[in-house]
Structures are given as structure tokens and as C-alpha cells.
Amino acid sequence: FCLMAVPGKAAAFHLPPLPTVGEIIKLFRLKAQKQLSQNFLLDLRLTDKIVRQAGELKNAHVCEVGPGPGGITRSILSAGVEQLLLIEKDARFIPGLQMLSEAAPGKVRIVHGDILTCKMEKAFPKHLKKNWEDEPPDIHIIGNLPFSVSTPLIIKWLENVSKKDGPFIYGRTQMTLTFQKEVAERLTANPGGKQRSRLSIMSQHLCTVQNCFVIPGQAFVPKPEVDVAVVHFTPLVQPKIQQPFELVEKVVRSVFQFRRKYCFRGIETLFPENGRLKRTEQLMMTANVDPTLRPFQLSMSHFRNLCNTYRKMCDEDPSLFVYNYREELRQKKMMRNLLKSTSQPKQIEEEDHL
């Protein structure tokens, strides 16, 4: 990452008159790139509304992800933040962000880099750290995320929440992020809801997740084919499932592998073919889960029981956790192909003999 502006002390501050976001786009000839799923939000009333969902930002430290032409950036600065860290992957936006940095002397740091690989353990001053059990620190993450990045990024951050590292080394850092409306519905779906999915369990067992409001697609340039929703996350003091992130994710992913079938079918994939049926029955009976429920009907307590029981089974047989159902299928397919290819020459030989 290259540091584009150095923070310093600044007095009480108001943004001076600046070109509009639309004018910045024209000035620097910025064009949203479809392959990066970029969509610009130019309406500052909407960017203000997004920033208000984050809560009180006066004197707070904020990291904005993918600021692009800087619409949300202006709203964050207008909220009176102490420091703003901007992480932008696309170099084309840096000059426009520099202009904002110069208009807010000492308040803005610009990092040219990819948020998916960015190390955020040292992104904020040490004195902001709070104990996990305390109120959240005066640190916020805000971002209008490209659709292509939003799901892998929230999974990465949920893992950070679980391990209390990355941006959560400072405590229960809050996040206010945009997602495709359907993804936001998955993040907040209740048991029985048609959008209930792996994302629902992984996010809700670690955070309070609030679907704040929907922004119609026509508010963006270029207009996406879907609407966008703003979602607010506050990490929980105690996760609802007290097991390692990797174990919870493995169980949840397996359950939702066949979301239209009975949950029994997905849970089977946690176990090797040899002894699969017996172990699946043992897991479901001990966890007190009805095998004829569909995955989206399972409650958080069902998943807690499944994870806790699976953990005990893994402790008794450590080879269980490293077992990979898809890898077993791949090996079987390779073996079938190998047998097919070795039997063909013999067949040809017999035909020649005849």
C-alpha cells in the first residue's frame, strides 16, 4: 500500500465548496467498470442517510471501503470525524480523493490497495482499543461495496469477528455496508424464510444484523439491475455458537449444500462413506434435530447443537474434521476414469484377436 496523505491535527472543520461528485467524475473522466461491478451514488442526501445509520460519528475514527468518486466520503467528513482512512483499489479514483484530502487537512489518509488483502490490525490508534465486553470502540467501517466483493469480504470480516483480529482487534467495531438487496435479505433472514442461508447463520451467530433501508437501483450510475440495501452490523459480546469459525462454517455449509432436500442429506456430507449413515443418525439424535426439516427451517439453537455435537465427534476422531466430501467425490470420479481407461486397451486387444 502507498500512503497518499499523512494525518495531522485539525481544528473544528467544515468542507469548503467543492466540485460536485458528478463534476469530479467528468473532471477525471471516471467511468464505472462493469467487470469491477462499480456503481456510483451521486445523491448526497442518500450518502448522508447511509452515514447516519452508522450512528454518532463526531470525533470517531472511520475506515471507508471503496470510496470511488467520494460521495459517501463527503458525508462522513461532514459528520465531524476525527480521522478517515480511505482504502481504494482503483487508482483512477485517487486524484479525486486527494482533492477531498486537501479540503480536509490532516483528517484523511488514502491507501491504494485491495481491502481483501489489507491488514487492518494497525489501521487505527492503539488508544482506541476497548475490551470485547465493553461498548463498541469509536471506530466504524463504512462502504458502498461492489457486488463482486461484498460476500467474500463480509465472510472474511465475520471470521475476524470470531477470532477478534483484523479491524476487531480494537473491540466490537461496527460496520455499515451496502449489499445487493437479495444478499441483505439473506444476511437478516429468520428461520423458515425463503432467503435463510449460510450467510444468515454465519452473520447472525456473531453479530446483531439490521437491514436499515433499500436504495432503488436508479439512484446509482450506472443503474444496476437490482436494488441495494444498507446493512448495519454490531458484533455480539458472546457468539451464539461457541465453536471455532472454521467448524461452524463447515457444518453450516454442509447443511445448506442441498437446501431443498431434508437437512439429513446435507449433514451426511460431514462424514466419510464408510459409516456415514450411522454417524449422521448419531449426530442428529444427540443434537435433537428432526432429520425431515429443510435446512432453512433450522433455528440457531439447532445449529448450535449440531456444531457442539460435531465438535465432540471430531475430538474423538480427529480425522473427521479434515474429511472433505467433495474431495472424496473427486477421488471416486478419478478412480472410475482410471478403471475405464485401463479396461479399454484390453477390450481392443480382444477384438483384434477375434
Side-chain angles (χ1 to χ4, degrees), residues 50-57 60-65 120 124 128 130 132 134-143 154 157 161 167-177 206-210 212 231-236:
I50 292 171
V51 169
R52 280 198 297 274
Q53 299 303 320
E56 179 55 64
L57 293 186
H61 287 247
V62 176
C63 171
E64 186 190 352
V65 182
M120 292 190 70
F124 305 102
L128 295 174
K130 287 204 177 181
W132 196 258
D134 295 342
E135 286 297 301
D138 219 2
I139 295 173
H140 295 263
I141 296 172
I142 299 175
I154 196 57
W157 276 340
V161 171
F168 307 96
I169 204 165
Y170 299 90
R172 296 185 296 121
T173 300
Q174 297 177 77
M175 301 182 283
T176 308
L177 307 166
L206 289 161
C207 298
T208 301
V209 191
Q210 183 189 357
C212 303
V231 183
H232 184 76
F233 300 81
T234 307
L236 295 164

Side-chain angles (χ1 to χ4, degrees), residues 290-330:
D290 179 350
T292 64
L293 288 173
R294 310 281 177 187
F296 60 87
Q297 294 175 307
L298 298 186
S299 67
M300 192 62 77
S301 60
H302 283 136
F303 278 102
R304 185 189 306 121
N305 292 349
L306 285 169
C307 290
N308 290 344
T309 308
Y310 180 64
R311 170 67 186 268
K312 284 177 187 168
M313 294 172 84
C314 288
D315 288 344
E316 288 163 14
D317 178 3
S319 69
L320 257 191
F321 187 68
V322 294
Y323 165 71
N324 185 316
Y325 175 72
R326 290 183 184 278
E327 182 59 25
E328 186 179 71
L329 286 182
R330 199 177 68 82

